[in-house]
Amino acid sequence: MPLLSRRNLLKAGVGVGAYGAGIALASRFGVASSPAPLLLEAKGTEAILDGTHVTKGMMTYAKADAPSANIPPVLRLRRGEPFVARFTNRLDEPTTVHWHGLRVPNRMDGVPFLTQPYLYKGDSFDYAFTPPDAGTFWYHPHCNTLTQIGRGMTGLLIVEDPKDPQFDAEITINLRDWRLGSDGQFIEQFRPRDTAKAGTNGTVRGANWRVEPSFDAPTGGLVRVRLAATDVTRIYALKLDGAEALVVALDGHPVPKIDRLETITIGPGQRLDLALRMPDSEGKTARLIDVRPSSAKTVANFRSVGTSLKRTLGDVTPLTPNPWQEPDLKSVERVPLILSATAENAPTQSICGTLGYTFWAINRVAWDGDTPDPMAPLVEMKLGKSYVFNLENNTPHAHPIHLHGMNFKVISSNARAVQPLITDTYLVLPDEKVQLALVADNVGDWVLHCHIIEHQKTGMTSFVRVI
């Protein structure tokens, strides 16, 4: 299937990405009989985030049939079934939608200049694809990301599989914090001295746009908790108090071995699925706690309601695995990916936002901004061939590295014992060297970047090309 060049996309104009072009794309990507589109829009809003003040100047996604909702809706798809979202931008600045973790056709990936034109206010585009994988994913913009994500544009996306085991309830958690002042209004999203280190954390920590929300679930029941870390910066270390749970999936894929949750660390962009066994006494509450970096903070509560169902964690069965082509480790091509700090170049001005600094690089080259002619790809990969990314973190900070459009398997690490996880986002530790194996199975230009957004926007971004 021939790829459209970036120049051709831009020459065609943003209008080509509107309704008519979206329908045409739907049939070209295996959605021959398009379902009725989900009507989704980006817009401004306001909400109470700190429990007291109304925060103005927020940004969100909304369904056309629920325009008054504040928090972005949880979108539910089914594996192997076509999906179309007719997206309209109501913001006063350009934006797009990226479907984080989903293996979609390249033109549906939502990266300005690399895969599609950005959408100005009033523009529409039909995102059409058939999800091959089930699991917990999320969606967000890939334009002016520090502001747009930082002000609310992060929503959970669930791809269901009817073959998955049944739970007594399901709870979705959009985990993030906010940069707010004492009056509840937004303050500067980043501080350069922090951007050059681990990043600038928020001041109000919460879930589902609330501080310490409480969720009701059946007493003594088994609950599937789907959690996405959608924050721009914060790395979480999560544990439970007052209940037990099993880790059943990470980043949308079943874990190789189901284990009890002790403490698990996840970075921005990562997802966690738990099988939570609720307390046996009605009214009793369990707490999900973030213990990083020092003082413990409750991010969500789970309250038992009703008569005990008397389920046990022994009732939990594995999730249905997603399709996966095993890399041929005997014939792989190895690709070096070195994460480092840099101060060599000034960033290029971009309509999709620049922070005005360059601090980070991949293979000693800093991303020069979202421009019509970005740098050359890190590597050109041949469709169907196996590769190993030799990822080396030469910095004293952790980086959640996310690959668009494809999944990889964790093979080995010099810093810790690793499971052979299939994932799209790996939290690489300081001074860690890790091997990530994959088969290049999706044609196109695919962004690879740190999901600490300040790091992404100050250089730790590049892309790979599959031909």
Side-chain angles (χ1 to χ4, degrees):
M1 179 170 56
L3 287 173
L4 289 177
S5 70
R6 287 180 289 280
R7 281 193 177 88
N8 287 341
L9 278 168
L10 294 169
K11 189 185 297 181
V14 174
V16 171
Y19 167 68
I23 290 298
L25 287 172
S27 62
R28 296 178 67 180
F29 289 120
V31 192
S33 179
S34 298
L38 169 75
L39 302 182
L40 186 69
E41 62 183 25
K43 66 171 191 173
T45 192
E46 56 187 37
I48 299 175
L49 301 176
D50 63 359
T52 304
H53 305 90
V54 175
T55 301
K56 301 182 183 298
M58 298 187 65
M59 300 177 178
T60 192
Y61 295 104
K63 291 182 180 180
D65 58 359
S68 62
N70 284 326
I71 184 171
V74 176
L75 303 183
R76 291 190 178 271
L77 289 63
R78 290 174 71 88
R79 179 161 76 175
E81 295 187 6
F83 169 76
V84 177
R86 183 165 303 148
F87 173 67
T88 302
N89 181 17
R90 307 289 185 199
L91 300 173
D92 291 326
E93 60 181 75
T95 193
T96 60
V97 184
H98 168 59
W99 313 93
H100 184 114
L102 286 182
R103 295 187 291 159
V104 299
N106 195 237
R107 278 172 278 185
M108 300 290 106
D109 198 45
V111 180
F113 300 109
L114 203 64
T115 71
Q116 74 166 103
Y118 41 73
L119 304 177
Y120 286 104
K121 183 176 183 178
D123 288 330
S124 296
F125 185 84
D126 278 11
Y127 290 96
F129 53 85
T130 299
D133 301 318
T136 302
F137 305 95
W138 63 297
Y139 63 105
H140 62 80
H142 231 281
C143 188
N144 197 15
T145 44
L146 189 62
T147 296
Q148 292 184 9
I149 295 178
R151 291 187 173 228
M153 293 180 68
T154 65
L156 267 69
L157 188 153
I158 308 302
V159 182
E160 298 174 336
D161 189 324
K163 297 179 182 178
D164 274 347
Q166 296 299 306
F167 290 82
D168 301 310
E170 181 175 292
I171 295 170
T172 56
I173 296 180
N174 187 334
L175 189 62
R176 57 166 306 150
D177 63 6
W178 310 89
R179 290 276 296 161
L180 304 179
S182 59
D183 61 353
Q185 305 312 305
F186 285 109
I187 58 177
E188 190 66 37
Q189 187 67 57
F190 77 99
R191 295 177 297 205
R193 66 179 182 274
D194 293 330
T195 301
K197 298 177 182 178
T200 310
N201 281 329
T203 59
V204 175
R205 211 175 320 180
N208 293 10
W209 290 29
R210 292 180 288 160
V211 176
E212 296 188 23
S214 184
F215 302 94
D216 289 350
T219 301
L222 291 175
V223 180
R224 183 169 184 171
V225 178
R226 295 180 182 263
L227 180 149
T230 73
D231 193 62
V232 295
T233 300
R234 186 176 295 278
I235 295 172
Y236 295 85
L238 300 173
K239 64 182 298 184
L240 269 173
D241 178 42
E244 292 185 313
L246 301 175
V247 177
V248 295
L250 283 170
D251 300 332
H253 297 272
V255 293
K257 180 178 179 292
I258 294 177
D259 278 325
R260 287 181 183 265
L261 173 66
E262 300 295 339
T263 300
I264 189 167
T265 301
I266 59 172
Q270 294 193 281
R271 292 86 65 205
L272 171 66
D273 285 49
L274 300 175
L276 167 65
R277 203 273 179 177
M278 291 294 292
D280 264 321
S281 301
E282 183 172 18
K284 188 158 185 189
T285 297
R287 299 186 299 150
L288 183 67
I289 303 170
D290 177 23
V291 298
R292 182 187 172 101
S294 55
S295 58
K297 169 71 174 177
T298 298
V299 294
N301 298 287
F302 307 99
R303 187 173 68 102
S304 292
V305 294
T307 303
S308 179
L309 300 181
K310 299 183 179 179
R311 302 290 298 278
T312 72
L313 290 178
D315 295 335
V316 176
T317 57
L319 303 178
T320 306
N322 288 314
W324 169 252
Q325 184 177 356
E326 197 68 37
D328 181 1
L329 297 182
K330 294 181 180 179
S331 64
V332 295
E333 180 177 332
R334 297 185 178 273
V335 179
L337 295 176
I338 299 172
L339 311 181
S340 63
T342 183
E344 296 176 356
N345 302 299
T348 302
Q349 290 295 320
S350 164
I351 198 165
C352 275
T354 176
L355 302 192
Y357 300 89
T358 296
F359 295 123
W360 302 99
I362 298 178
N363 286 357
R364 299 180 176 84
V365 177
W367 182 250
D368 62 357
D370 300 316
T371 65
D373 292 292
M375 66 184 78
L378 284 167
V379 61
E380 283 196 353
M381 307 165 71
K382 293 183 179 179
L383 184 66
K385 183 176 172 59
S386 296
Y387 294 84
V388 167
F389 291 166
N390 289 328
L391 182 59
E392 182 177 342
N393 182 6
N394 289 342
T395 82
H397 306 290
H399 300 282
I401 297 298
H402 172 52
L403 175 64
H404 289 213
M406 293 181 286
N407 296 319
F408 48 75
K409 177 184 271 190
V410 183
I411 300 298
S412 63
S413 167
N414 71 328
R416 49 182 160 167
V418 293
Q419 291 191 52
L421 294 166
I422 297 169
T423 178
D424 55 80
T425 309
Y426 183 82
L427 183 62
V428 56
L429 301 178
D431 301 314
E432 183 177 12
K433 298 178 181 179
V434 62
Q435 287 70 50
L436 310 172
L438 76 159
V439 174
D441 61 359
N442 203 353
V443 170
D445 290 347
W446 300 107
V447 177
L448 176 83
H449 66 89
C450 178
H451 228 286
I452 293 175
I453 303 300
E454 295 158 85
H455 294 176
Q456 171 198 333
K457 298 295 286 186
T458 56
M460 195 170 281
T461 303
S462 192
F463 73 101
V464 300
R465 175 171 292 157
V466 179
I467 57 176

